[in-house]
Amino acid sequence: MSFIWLRTWHLGVKSLLLHPLRSLLTVLGIFIGVASVVWLLAIGEGISRKAQEQIEGLGATNIIIRSIKPPEESIESAGSSRSIVPYGVTRADFDRLITTIPTIDRALPIREARYRFGYLGRNTEGRLVGCTPEYAEVNQLEVARGRFLSDTDDHEKWNHCVLAAGTAEKLFPFEDPIGQAIRIEKAFYLVVGVMKDRTPTAGIGGSLTAQEFNNDVYIPINTFWSRIGDIIVTRRTGSFEGEMIELSQITLRVDEVENVLKTAALVKETLKLHHRKQDYAVTVPLELLKQAKTTRLMFIVFMGLIAAISLVVGGIGIMNIMLATVTERTREIGIRRALGAKRGDITRQFLVETVVLSVMGGATGILGGLTCRPLIGALRGIMQRTAPEVFEQLPDVIREVTPIIVPWSIPLAFGISVTIGVIFGLYPAIRAAAMDPIEALRHE
Amino acid sequence: MTPAARMLEATKQYVMDGGTVHALRGVSLEIPTGDYVAIMGPSGSGKSTLLNLLGCLDRPTSGRLMLGDEEISGASDDRLSEIRASHIGFIFQSYNLIPQLSVLENIEVPLYYQGRIDRRQRQRSHELAELVGLGDRLKHRPTQLSGGQQQRVAIARSLINDPYFILADEPTGNLDSVTSEEILRLLNDLNEQGKTIIIVTHEPEVGKLAKRVVRLQDGSICSDKRTRE
Ligand SMILES: Nc1ncnc2c1ncn2[C@@H]1O[C@H](COP(=O)(O)OP(=O)(O)O)[C@@H](O)[C@H]1O
Ligand SMILES: [Mg+2]
């Protein structure tokens, strides 16, 4: 049994090598189809893995509202010539949201600004974050030494601060920061804790820049409001520019995952009623997941279509070539039948040839599929250089995707190619076997 | 001793649009082992049809055919293939070697359809190639050989399964007279070694070499003469 198969394979390869170019071209369709299968699964996996990470970073039950500076025109059209422009979500919004929406079980007000921090002669720039004690937990920040901000710090509006790992490293390369006071603008803040290193999370609010925690300084939000206030003036080449923001961000946590989308809709409506300008953005991590799922689905449908079409076209190509081969080799079929080949032997012989073809397509297709990651990287690079506008238009998920080869896609792709070979090879093989040996022998 | 083949009142009809063609009309024939039979007759008299029946490439419309002890008339398609693979040797007018196979591989084809090739059989295919004078051409392709050489390969191939008989349909039809003579001498030698040979020919000289001449006319045997023992 095994001997017969071995000989049949040997013979199949030999017969195909009689027309190497023809065999190669026949294989092309299967190659594209199989490579597409590997690609689509790798890209799909990359998208969902990325979305998963984003959700993990942002929290599936969270709704994040960020203040954003509205476009210049809309400020001017508002008829204001003030140099200090108020925008963003307010303390009133915050109170309104937590009192009117029952499914919100926790809300974090956050106020951020960029500042220079000083200790003795050393200076560093970073993000000053006014927040409540829950901030650390929500952002998965861990204390390295000392403690994070407490409720008392907040209520009493104490000048206490906690340093992120990077800030601590820069301001206190040699000393223990705990118990020292750092300078922010003209005020001093007592360091009560230092946080551990934290990898950046995915971007929110439509921006691609990841949230970087390592250069932060945390102070109680009430301290921020009372010491620094809502107005921040920055000097810019001779002129002053002022901004008035009450809250940079509100992170809402919803009680149940099922309620997230309904709550998000309510939040958006509530905010809309009180904002004439689009000076805030609402990010729902769960929606990111949904969006990623749709994009992934779109990709799978699209690539699946390409795969299906090229597999069918490849299969038809194989069938076409095999039908021609069978006709061409009618005489050989007659000889083999006369010398003792059963119908089954002839069927097997031609079936093996198609399977060899499709497996060649499958194997090269798998290799082509494995190049997915470097190839997409290269493609992205080329696009960024030659057509940056088009590139910008692409959805984030596509711009950022890192394909991940799904291990089982390889046996799957292999199985598909063998199946195609069998399906499209069966008819020519059966036709070959059905020939009358005497007729076949007489064929010129 | 059982004859190599026995045919009893075999008929063969081809049904076509224009009516039925009676290719054979009740042929009875017995081929003893070791015989050398020439089948002769005008074109269309049924020679090839008779040979196809003896070679189990076709079944008679009616009548019986026995090969050795086995009744062939009702055998299945697969059984006929098995019989061809194990008990019949074919030599064709146009050699009919498989172009992508080497000389040695062509000789071994019937073994392949018997199921297995062991070392003894591989040894035998080498010996047969030597026997037909092609021991130094084992790796050659058919296209690299002359007509006479190709027919020698076909003869070696017809011997590989140690058949009940060898069927040759106009084996010298495509060869020049010198090469024809060589091939006929080879067949004669084989017969002298005990091989049963049935040869279809319309050349009288070829017929003279056989031990027995069967003449067909319009699908029936019109004469069956033994010319030598
Ligand atoms: N497959 C076939 N279909 C129809 N008629 C056939 C077929 N094969 C042979 N015949 C007819 O049967 C008769 C005998 O043919 P054949 O055995 O080939 O004769 P020979 O070999 O003696 O020339 C002829 O009349 C031929 O036309
Ligand atoms: Mg004939």
Side-chain angles (χ1 to χ4, degrees):
Chain A
M1 192 60 203
S2 59
F3 162 79
I4 290 186
W5 279 104
L6 207 73
R7 279 290 295 242
T8 313
W9 284 101
H10 178 76
L11 187 74
V13 172
K14 215 165 177 171
S15 302
L16 292 171
L17 286 179
L18 283 180
H19 305 281
L21 182 66
R22 187 160 93 175
S23 303
L24 214 68
L25 291 175
T26 312
V27 154
L28 206 63
I30 303 294
F31 166 82
I32 294 171
V34 166
S36 310
V37 169
V38 178
W39 274 58
L40 80 91
L41 290 169
I43 290 173
E45 181 69 9
I47 289 173
S48 72
R49 192 79 64 90
K50 176 118 196 128
Q52 210 63 44
E53 277 167 18
Q54 258 176 337
I55 306 307
E56 272 163 25
L58 299 175
T61 51
N62 285 352
I63 296 171
I64 297 162
I65 306 159
R66 274 192 78 78
S67 296
I68 52 170
K69 197 168 185 169
E72 297 287 339
E73 318 85 72
S74 78
I75 297 171
E76 275 154 26
S77 68
S80 103
S81 54
R82 287 175 299 180
S83 57
I84 292 176
V85 185
Y87 70 85
V89 278
T90 60
R91 282 180 285 270
D93 288 327
F94 181 82
D95 293 337
R96 228 180 338 257
L97 289 174
I98 53 172
T99 48
T100 53
I101 304 176
T103 49
I104 295 175
D105 76 354
R106 190 170 66 182
L108 299 186
I110 299 161
R111 176 76 170 90
E112 305 163 0
R114 292 202 72 78
Y115 275 106
R116 291 182 76 74
F117 311 122
Y119 175 70
L120 299 180
R122 288 185 282 275
N123 280 298
T124 179
E125 206 185 285
R127 188 168 70 150
L128 179 67
V129 181
C131 57
T132 52
E134 295 97 329
Y135 187 87
E137 188 206 320
V138 168
N139 289 295
Q140 290 144 39
L141 302 172
E142 284 171 48
V143 175
R145 300 175 32 70
R147 60 172 177 86
F148 196 69
L149 302 169
S150 69
D151 285 326
T152 330
D153 290 327
D154 197 30
H155 284 148
E156 304 298 327
K157 302 172 187 163
W158 277 337
N159 282 14
H160 283 176
C161 74
V162 173
L163 306 184
T167 318
E169 181 62 29
K170 282 179 198 116
L171 292 182
F172 300 93
F174 313 115
E175 306 94 319
D176 179 4
I178 308 246
Q180 307 293 343
I182 63 161
R183 189 167 47 78
I184 303 171
E185 291 283 273
K186 291 178 186 69
F188 287 89
Y189 294 80
L190 181 72
V191 178
V192 296
V194 176
M195 308 308 284
K196 284 187 185 160
D197 219 39
R198 163 76 150 82
T199 47
T201 67
I204 49 167
S207 88
L208 274 177
T209 45
Q211 225 181 332
E212 164 78 73
F213 291 97
N214 275 351
N215 299 318
D216 290 350
V217 170
Y218 306 104
I219 61 172
I221 188 150
N222 277 309
T223 310
F224 195 116
W225 282 330
S226 66
R227 298 270 159 195
I228 298 170
D230 298 332
I231 300 172
I232 292 166
V233 179
T234 43
R235 236 171 296 190
R236 243 194 225 173
T237 54
S239 74
F240 292 101
E241 204 172 279
E243 285 183 339
M244 188 172 152
I245 312 168
E246 293 186 17
L247 283 167
S248 307
Q249 180 177 327
I250 302 172
T251 303
L252 302 174
R253 195 177 71 181
V254 181
D255 53 358
E256 302 283 344
V257 178
E258 302 87 77
N259 293 334
V260 169
L261 296 181
K262 274 178 283 174
T263 309
L266 266 176
V267 166
K268 284 176 190 167
E269 252 172 70
T270 312
L271 289 173
K272 206 172 188 174
L273 285 175
H274 296 90
H275 288 257
R276 282 188 300 134
K277 305 172 287 194
Q278 190 63 40
D279 55 354
Y280 62 91
V282 180
T283 305
V284 186
L286 207 63
E287 271 179 359
L288 287 180
L289 182 69
K290 245 177 63 182
Q291 192 192 334
K293 273 187 182 154
T294 353
T295 318
R296 176 166 174 248
L297 202 72
M298 212 178 71
F299 237 92
I300 288 184
V301 168
F302 179 67
M303 295 287 277
L305 214 68
I306 294 181
I309 290 174
S310 52
L311 284 173
V312 168
V313 169
I316 291 173
I318 285 190
M319 185 144 131
N320 193 15
I321 285 298
M322 287 317 291
L323 283 173
T325 303
V326 165
T327 309
E328 237 175 54
R329 285 159 62 188
T330 302
R331 189 62 168 269
E332 180 192 330
I333 294 164
I335 299 168
R336 288 183 180 279
R337 291 282 277 137
L339 298 181
K342 296 175 185 159
R343 287 186 200 279
D345 292 318
I346 302 294
T347 310
R348 183 169 49 228
Q349 182 187 338
F350 284 94
L351 211 52
V352 160
E353 272 183 44
T354 31
V355 170
V356 166
L357 277 178
S358 60
V359 162
M360 261 161 51
T364 48
I366 287 169
L367 289 182
L370 295 180
T371 63
C372 184
R373 199 164 173 157
L375 217 63
I376 284 204
L379 218 67
R380 190 154 38 210
I382 291 170
M383 239 185 125
Q384 237 162 345
R385 253 175 288 122
T386 56
E389 317 83 39
V390 181
F391 187 75
E392 289 302 315
Q393 298 292 308
L394 293 175
D396 297 357
V397 267
I398 294 177
R399 268 191 301 188
E400 298 222 316
V401 69
T402 316
I404 295 161
I405 302 287
V406 190
W408 53 261
S409 71
I410 287 164
L412 176 79
F414 196 75
I416 289 177
S417 62
V418 173
T419 312
I420 290 282
V422 171
I423 289 175
F424 288 91
L426 211 53
Y427 175 66
I430 287 175
R431 230 168 88 148
M435 283 181 186
D436 177 49
I438 300 170
E439 297 278 334
L441 274 171
R442 225 177 304 176
H443 192 266
E444 276 319 304
Chain B
M1 198 172 167
T2 31
R6 258 180 306 170
M7 198 176 251
L8 265 177
E9 285 301 313
T11 68
K12 183 72 196 178
Q13 290 154 23
Y14 294 104
V15 182
M16 307 205 311
D17 292 341
T20 310
V21 179
H22 296 267
L24 288 181
R25 307 169 192 262
V27 171
S28 296
L29 188 67
E30 188 171 306
I31 316 263
T33 302
D35 211 351
Y36 188 175
V37 186
I39 296 173
M40 301 188 72
S43 179
S45 57
K47 306 183 294 290
S48 296
T49 306
L50 178 60
L51 211 66
N52 289 341
L53 290 184
L54 286 170
C56 297
L57 285 165
D58 210 350
R59 290 189 203 85
T61 311
S62 72
R64 291 175 63 192
L65 173 65
M66 308 271 293
L67 290 197
D69 293 324
E70 191 170 351
E71 173 74 55
I72 300 304
S73 336
S76 71
D77 200 70
D78 278 3
R79 182 61 198 146
L80 291 183
S81 293
E82 282 168 15
I83 292 167
R84 292 196 298 267
S86 334
H87 301 308
I88 296 169
F90 283 98
I91 302 170
F92 303 93
Q93 180 174 356
S94 47
Y95 331 128
N96 278 346
L97 301 179
I98 297 172
Q100 65 266 39
L101 302 185
S102 70
V103 165
L104 200 62
E105 287 168 328
N106 263 293
I107 295 174
E108 286 173 351
V109 169
L111 295 180
Y112 174 37
Y113 294 116
Q114 283 177 18
R116 42 183 288 107
I117 298 178
D118 56 31
R119 279 189 44 208
R120 202 175 51 78
Q121 286 171 313
R122 176 132 298 159
Q123 177 69 31
R124 188 164 154 68
S125 54
H126 277 91
E127 284 167 13
L128 287 173
E130 295 281 350
L131 177 78
V132 298
L134 290 169
D136 54 343
R137 300 281 162 92
L138 297 180
K139 297 274 174 235
H140 284 57
R141 301 274 145 161
T143 47
Q144 297 167 317
L145 301 177
S146 72
Q149 286 170 326
Q150 288 189 54
Q151 198 59 300
R152 286 158 184 277
V153 177
I155 291 171
R157 181 178 66 185
S158 75
L159 292 167
I160 188 76
N161 53 0
D162 203 4
Y164 291 161
F165 48 78
I166 294 168
L167 297 173
D169 197 347
E170 312 239 11
T172 57
N174 286 4
L175 300 173
D176 60 70
S177 55
V178 178
T179 326
S180 292
E181 213 154 295
E182 280 173 28
I183 294 295
L184 290 171
R185 203 175 306 132
L186 188 53
L187 289 177
N188 214 39
D189 291 349
L190 289 172
N191 179 246
E192 265 158 30
Q193 288 161 31
K195 300 284 169 205
T196 314
I197 296 173
I198 303 166
I199 184 168
V200 165
T201 184
H202 58 257
E203 293 165 66
E205 316 87 77
V206 179
K208 272 179 209 138
L209 290 168
K211 291 176 178 171
R212 174 183 170 196
V213 177
V214 174
R215 285 188 188 279
L216 282 179
Q217 180 74 54
D218 200 16
S220 309
I221 296 179
C222 64
S223 85
D224 184 348
K225 278 189 214 128
R226 192 157 291 279
T227 50
R228 62 183 171 99
E229 279 308 313

